[in-house]
Amino acid sequence: MMNNKESTIFPVDKVSILAEKESWRKEINRPIYHIHKWWAQRLGTVFRALLLHLMNDNKADEWESFYKQHDFKQHIILDPFMGSGTTIGEAVKLGAKAIGCDINPISTFLVTQALTKVPIEQLISAYNEIENDISKDILSYYKTVDPVTNKELQVLYYFWVKLVITPSGESVPLFSKYVFAQNAYASKKPKAQIVCPHCWNVFEGKYNDTVSVCSECGFSFNPQKGPANNTTVIDSHGSKYKIKDLIPKDGTLLQEKMYAILAVDDQGNKKYLPIKDYDLELYKKAQSELHKCKLALPQYEVKSGYNTDQARGYNYLSWKQFFNDRQLLCLGKLLDRILKIDDENIREQLVCLFSSTLEYNNMFCSYKGEGTGAVRPIFSNHILKPERTPLENSVWGHYKSSGCFSSLFKSRLLKAKEYLDQPFDLKIDEKNGTCDKVVVSNPIDVTMCKTWEELNSTEHSALILNGDSSKLPIPDNVVDFVVTDPPYFDFIHYSELSDFFYAWLSPVLKSKYTFFSETTSRRDNEVQQTDAMEFSRLLGNVFSECHRVLKNKGKLAFSFHHSRVDGWLAIAQAIKQAGFYIDECFPVHAELMASTPKAGAKEPISLDAMIICGKEKKEVTEDEIKEEAINYVNSMKASGKKLSKADVFVICASQCLSKLVFDNCNTDKKSECLTRVYQNVIATCEM
């Protein structure tokens, strides 16, 4: 705990303020970790500060050391739950050797690609060759005709809606409202696009109109009231049905209708247009071409699971069904061209980018509107929820597009490779509050090793592993620090979601990587259970392995948060099972409060507890726990941090961990202790 005289006060307030700045645009502020989608990505700012807290012997001013260049070449850092590679990247920036392991193949592949240094000019050259060879072909399937000028326009997005067929045979579109496009800041820019339910014309109105008259057919209607409402739909006669009851019983997908287009002219002017015969014929052409081509397309089935059963309930039984025929054609052509690149490193960089592009080019995407990144990707809610009004993106894209291959190459892959040459950190100007980028690390240029022996004998190196982290190919007592972010104890199963990417990557990479040889990314012994005891046991097995490979004075440090008592009891049991004891716990900013999964929560958690464990016993009293928790709550409030009651619970629970691990009392007594501390802190701090 922090009252231990030997421990150092971590700069919680300063790190949290900087971390919040990073969280607003993580893909810009730490591009190396955002080439490809991963779930629960932690902030580089926090993990840099945590690593310095562990490794820096000069404890005079930890915050000052944040902006100094370091070369901890004698240290070896292990992350057994590597994820997107935040620990690995921050460790090698500080000059340390790094070992990363993850049981998920997608994690292993994307971290390897993130750390692999390739000549940027060769990467650009390969991209340009692909553009010259195939971009025109792909873009030819994203064209329309301007009804006024009769000129050809480039299509940015197609708007679709799912249809249900009622028992009487009526086809009903699943619109919740007929306003289908508006500005993200609608009160300031009220112009919106509306589709007529009578003739399917597209016309302009205001986002909050309650009466609209179609400019084409004169039909008058309320654009705020569509036939779909939550789980039900109403037909034209007023009959009400549950949508789930109208899912086809023959195993086919719901029908989908393409009803609108957002196109752009040569001057960059955007136009919303209704679907015409030209657009329908072009889609049919793509369907015909798809049936003629032999392309590398996903073949694997969607296996049953907590995060996949919702999609399976709508008859999405294979990953191929997540894409329409035009998407399959254009994605398949793009992947086939990438696979023809001779240089293996360049090829795999672009395969990784291709996989990232899938997130924004499937029929589970939706439209966010003007004034923001237009495409809401498939995993914006960390679930596989079928989209009733899908948005079809342009695979190659346009400079006005978002989430397409061409834009992601420039904004994600190139930025990540540039970051390797100049790995910057953020620094706040205390006078005007602006945030600048400062380079305080040597270029990231590590040797990618294949074995422990190679890592041990090579300076500036990293070992990226795939497999069960409870069985690491590492000797005893050789790691200085384990720094990680364990999987979340709840209902987000990363492997169930990552199968979306795996279904494309496995067929083209399994000949080289054995971890792509299965038909799913799911693996035995994943630490990803909803049952508290099973989660605790499997996490404890990994922590036990960390205890084995750690030096006697080494530390295990990890981030965690949870809103329920059983989650913290599970963590405490895992720590105890592994033979660790708590040295320190402190809160830091963890996540942007406006992020999609958090925005809808009544009491969202914006904090992580950073938990540092050692091999020596340290006791603490309940009064000391309360005092520490109150100090942290008041300190964060004084710094301007807005805390929810769930945040306060995270602070209290983390401070209780030492007692939960050390005490031999039963579960009920431990729960009572945590509850007492929380209630006392809430009352004392007037939350």
Side-chain angles (χ1 to χ4, degrees), residues 73 75-77 92 96-100 446-465 474-475 478-479:
K73 60 185 178 182
H75 289 82
I76 296 176
I77 309 299
V92 298
K97 294 182 180 182
I99 304 171
V446 294
T447 300
M448 304 295 285
C449 301
K450 297 184 182 301
T451 64
W452 157 258
E453 290 74 19
E454 186 182 355
L455 178 89
N456 193 38
S457 61
T458 308
E459 287 194 357
H460 303 295
S461 54
L463 173 61
I464 306 302
L465 301 168
I474 303 170
V478 293
V479 171

Side-chain angles (χ1 to χ4, degrees), residues 32-68:
I32 189 176
Y33 312 126
H34 297 276
I35 298 174
H36 194 287
K37 172 68 181 179
W38 192 255
W39 297 267
Q41 292 176 317
R42 288 300 174 247
L43 299 170
T45 293
V46 172
F47 276 72
R48 176 181 176 85
L50 178 61
L51 285 162
L52 284 169
H53 181 67
L54 294 169
M55 292 194 292
N56 199 353
D57 291 331
N58 181 11
K59 304 295 186 181
D61 189 338
E62 286 204 24
W63 183 240
E64 185 179 332
S65 73
F66 189 94
Y67 292 107
K68 289 182 178 179

Side-chain angles (χ1 to χ4, degrees), residues 243-257:
I243 294 171
K244 287 286 286 183
D245 292 341
L246 301 179
I247 304 299
K249 301 297 189 292
D250 62 359
T252 59
L253 299 178
L254 288 174
Q255 295 177 26
E256 293 176 327
K257 181 180 179 69

Side-chain angles (χ1 to χ4, degrees), residues 244 247 253 302 305-317 319 321-322 364 383-386:
K244 287 286 286 183
I247 304 299
L253 299 178
V302 179
Y306 184 87
N307 293 113
T308 54
D309 282 348
Q310 187 173 22
R312 286 172 54 87
Y314 281 76
N315 294 336
Y316 287 93
L317 303 179
W319 293 106
Q321 294 174 306
F322 280 57
F364 278 53
I383 57 176
L384 285 173
K385 179 183 178 183

